[in-house]
Amino acid sequence: MMGCYTLSAVVKALREFVTREKSYALQEMIKESKIFNAKILGFSGNVLDLYCSEGWNFEVGDVIGFVEDGDINVFGTVIDANLGIVSVYLNLPKESDGKYFSEERNVRIFEAEPLVSYDLQLNLIERIESGWTNEAVELFFGNPNAKPVNKTYRLTDIKCLGNERRLDESQVEAVENILSLNSGDFLLIIGPPGCGKTTVIKKAAYHLVRDKGEKVLVTSNANRAVDNAIEGLDNHLQEIGCSCVRVGRPEKVDPKLYECMPGSKFDKTLRTKMENLEREIEEAKKERAEILKRSKVSGDSEELRKNSEKLASLYAERNELLKKGVERVVAEASVVGSTIVKSQLYPLAKINFDTCIIDESSQVPITMALLAMIKAKKWVLIGDHKQLLPIFRTVKRQDLQELLSAFVYLLKRYENHSLWLKWHYRSNTQIIEFPSRFIYNEMIEPSPECSKVKLQLRACKLEVLDPEKPIVFIHTRGKAERKGVHSAINVRLKYAPR
């Protein structure tokens, strides 16, 4: 089925699909009142001041966009949001000033990052339609004649990275094949739940750096997947004089990885300069808050304009220092972890890699996967075609979802380019035997230690929760209660064990 489509037909279908998804997402934002009316108050340096009565919806660090004639444009990044005044550090070209930023102009603004991915995909599709191509594009749309991996690497140290457990034979096979890839090669790794996907990624990334001197991108659509894949890797890389950097919004990154973010890797001199500038910026923002109170949020005072100019100057100085520091850290890093979207934006937009590893790639659409893959010379896609497929707003048919999944598409197109991770380590033996038999056609097996996996219960009044029973279903006449961030069974409800 995969071979019966011409390049032009597939690319046209992808463009129409991404355009529909973008339109649907935008309409959804309008419907859910996530687009807000604002008025331009002034423009000083690279800082644009907007008045928005619902400005409390925006936080420092948000990417702000605006809608004009149905098109999406990106202003820049929020640097302050106070008493309805939203200040944005601009990233539009200077020649756009007169077109977009005339005072008193009304605009419709929104938090733009969720929509950026659609424009990135459409730009890539436009390049392909214009005749541009590379080896990654040919994997999807060219003749399916890629050769299987010729395994030339032998792993001598088969211990997992960070502990004494040994890799099983399927994990060793996966790592050795990854280390054997040459430019233009790719590998599909089928990793059912609990079979050690992140173990393989960490081990492979470490040896790609140590043994081959490579620069590696570890990416996924989900921040959580990126965090899991690189957690602890930086410590091992530092032992050999290398580093791992996590690029992304701090609030979306696991706090355990904050030390891997670019700002945490600045040298002492740069860090001191940044801290001094941050103090000056905070003082200027306090002055701004006082000015706004006095002017009753009119935004017309000369005092506010001067403050905006001061903030613009401070932010320009800070951003220039930050830019140089981040670019140095990213350029020197041996492994970079980021989501696919972030890999296309500053500071990674112009950074290329030797190997690109995409985790949870069965959930990644073809065009999203290509955005990451065209930045590298060889590729590893890790996924599970039996689990969740890409989630679309405009596609409900499973056969189309499979066709649009990068992992499933390549798996059907190149069956001899895949390896299974075959041993399961997470669940009790009796639990995992069911999906192994009825979902995975007995391609995975529980490891011997699975027989020891039991519920570790604290004091509990529900005597039916016997740790010796691998699974217990409890029927309740009611629903779960939420306590803080955790969901808990309402023990006041009557239950009937089954």
Side-chain angles (χ1 to χ4, degrees):
M1 179 179 179
M2 298 298 169
C4 65
Y5 299 100
T6 65
L7 169 61
S8 59
V10 173
V11 174
K12 180 182 178 182
L14 286 170
R15 174 165 46 78
E16 292 174 352
F17 155 72
V18 176
T19 301
R20 284 199 309 272
E21 286 285 300
K22 175 183 173 181
S23 176
Y24 190 98
L26 184 58
Q27 292 304 314
E28 201 172 60
M29 291 182 75
I30 295 172
K31 183 179 178 181
E32 295 177 3
S33 301
K34 291 182 179 179
I35 296 180
F36 309 98
N37 293 318
K39 182 174 74 172
I40 295 177
L41 299 177
F43 176 50
S44 302
N46 276 77
V47 176
L48 179 73
D49 291 323
L50 302 156
Y51 175 70
C52 177
S53 61
E54 296 173 287
W56 49 267
N57 284 283
F58 301 102
E59 298 179 358
V60 174
D62 282 348
V63 177
I64 294 293
F66 64 100
V67 182
E68 184 174 59
D69 299 328
D71 291 330
I72 297 169
N73 301 279
V74 176
F75 272 144
T77 305
V78 175
I79 58 175
D80 190 37
N82 198 325
L83 297 176
I85 304 295
V86 180
S87 300
V88 182
Y89 192 85
L90 300 172
N91 60 9
L92 281 170
K94 198 70 177 175
E95 57 268 21
S96 303
D97 297 356
K99 178 180 178 182
Y100 294 127
F101 306 137
S102 56
E103 291 187 21
E104 302 298 316
R105 182 186 174 196
N106 293 317
V107 291
R108 300 168 71 206
I109 63 174
F110 62 97
E111 206 281 284
E113 190 168 324
L115 296 180
V116 169
S117 68
Y118 298 117
D119 285 334
L120 291 170
Q121 292 175 81
L122 289 170
N123 289 340
L124 173 62
I125 290 169
E126 186 176 333
R127 290 172 66 191
I128 295 172
E129 287 181 320
S130 69
W132 174 86
T133 189
N134 78 352
E135 289 180 304
V137 174
E138 290 299 316
L139 282 181
F140 286 92
F141 308 128
N143 292 324
N145 56 4
K147 296 178 181 179
V149 178
N150 177 26
K151 193 171 74 170
T152 57
Y153 182 92
R154 291 294 180 267
L155 192 64
T156 56
D157 174 15
I158 63 171
K159 286 192 298 186
C160 297
L161 207 63
N163 61 59
E164 294 300 313
R165 191 179 73 79
R166 291 172 174 266
L167 300 176
D168 64 48
E169 61 269 26
S170 68
Q171 293 171 337
V172 170
E173 180 76 2
V175 173
E176 289 181 342
N177 273 268
I178 293 172
L179 270 290
S180 298
L181 294 175
N182 294 313
S183 181
D185 288 344
F186 77 101
L187 179 66
L188 305 173
I189 298 178
I190 303 169
C195 289
K197 294 186 291 292
T198 57
T199 297
V200 167
I201 293 172
K202 288 186 178 74
K203 185 72 171 176
Y206 175 80
H207 283 277
L208 284 168
V209 173
R210 193 194 74 174
D211 301 349
K212 298 205 164 191
E214 292 196 8
K215 192 175 185 74
V216 181
L217 173 64
V218 178
T219 189
S220 178
N221 262 353
N223 280 285
R224 170 192 48 76
V226 176
D227 290 342
N228 290 341
I230 66 170
E231 183 184 344
L233 184 56
D234 190 45
N235 294 332
H236 296 283
L237 290 174
Q238 287 187 34
E239 292 174 358
I240 57 173
C242 299
S243 67
C244 173
V245 173
R246 174 65 164 98
V247 176
R249 291 271 296 274
E251 65 272 21
K252 295 184 178 180
V253 173
D254 190 319
K256 289 182 288 188
L257 289 166
Y258 284 170
E259 291 185 357
C260 293
M261 300 193 75
S264 298
K265 293 182 175 290
F266 290 169
D267 60 45
K268 187 176 180 180
T269 301
L270 180 56
R271 216 176 274 185
T272 300
K273 289 180 180 178
M274 291 291 295
E275 288 170 356
N276 291 337
L277 274 171
E278 290 293 351
R279 279 194 289 269
E280 291 185 60
I281 288 170
E282 286 306 311
E283 287 300 317
K285 288 166 75 172
K286 288 178 183 177
E287 291 174 12
R288 184 182 193 80
E290 291 300 319
I291 294 168
L292 290 172
K293 287 179 182 178
R294 291 196 298 272
S295 62
K296 296 181 181 178
V297 203
S298 66
D300 296 326
S301 74
E302 182 64 23
E303 206 176 2
L304 181 62
R305 293 179 188 277
K306 288 182 178 179
N307 179 269
S308 289
E309 290 174 2
K310 181 179 180 180
L311 265 177
S313 176
L314 288 170
Y315 272 113
E317 185 179 355
R318 188 202 69 170
N319 285 0
E320 186 60 28
L321 278 177
L322 188 63
K323 181 173 179 286
K324 290 180 180 178
V326 168
E327 287 174 353
R328 179 185 62 78
V329 169
V330 168
E332 293 176 356
S334 299
V335 176
V336 174
S338 84
T339 61
I340 294 174
V341 170
K342 283 295 184 185
S343 75
Q344 309 302 302
L345 307 175
Y346 179 85
L348 297 177
K350 297 181 180 180
I351 302 292
N352 291 319
F353 299 86
D354 296 297
T355 299
C356 168
I357 301 175
I358 305 179
D359 195 15
E360 296 188 352
S361 60
S362 49
Q363 300 177 32
V364 178
I366 290 172
T367 43
M368 284 294 288
L370 273 173
L371 287 172
M373 292 171 69
I374 61 176
K375 296 174 72 68
K377 302 171 185 175
K378 44 204 174 93
W379 316 280
V380 181
L381 282 76
I382 303 178
D384 182 354
H385 56 301
K386 299 293 186 179
Q387 289 199 65
L388 191 64
L389 295 168
I391 297 174
F392 304 115
R393 293 173 169 88
T394 61
V395 177
K396 303 303 179 186
R397 286 171 46 189
Q398 183 168 336
D399 60 331
L400 290 180
Q401 290 176 332
E402 290 181 350
L403 187 66
L404 292 166
S405 163
F407 186 80
V408 177
Y409 184 100
L410 290 176
L411 190 61
K412 291 184 177 181
R413 189 173 168 86
Y414 304 98
E415 293 182 3
N416 60 347
H417 280 68
S418 63
L419 296 175
W420 281 79
L421 299 180
K422 296 182 177 180
W423 290 92
H424 177 90
Y425 297 91
R426 187 181 300 162
S427 305
N428 184 279
T429 300
Q430 294 180 59
I431 294 176
I432 195 59
E433 282 178 345
F434 180 86
S436 173
R437 179 179 177 185
F438 294 102
I439 298 175
Y440 293 104
N441 297 319
E442 298 185 339
M443 289 297 294
I444 60 171
E445 296 182 45
S447 70
E449 60 201 67
C450 283
S451 61
K452 302 175 184 177
V453 176
K454 298 179 182 179
L455 286 173
Q456 301 298 315
L457 298 174
R458 298 175 182 175
C460 180
K461 295 180 181 179
L462 297 179
E463 64 276 4
V464 294
L465 293 181
D466 182 355
E468 296 302 320
K469 297 177 180 177
I471 185 167
V472 176
F473 294 95
I474 301 176
H475 173 69
T476 63
R477 291 192 284 273
K479 61 182 180 180
E481 286 185 345
R482 183 165 292 279
K483 297 180 180 179
V485 296
H486 300 289
S487 183
I489 294 174
N490 183 347
V491 295
R492 292 171 296 179
L493 297 173
K494 294 181 179 180
Y495 61 87
R498 292 288 183 268

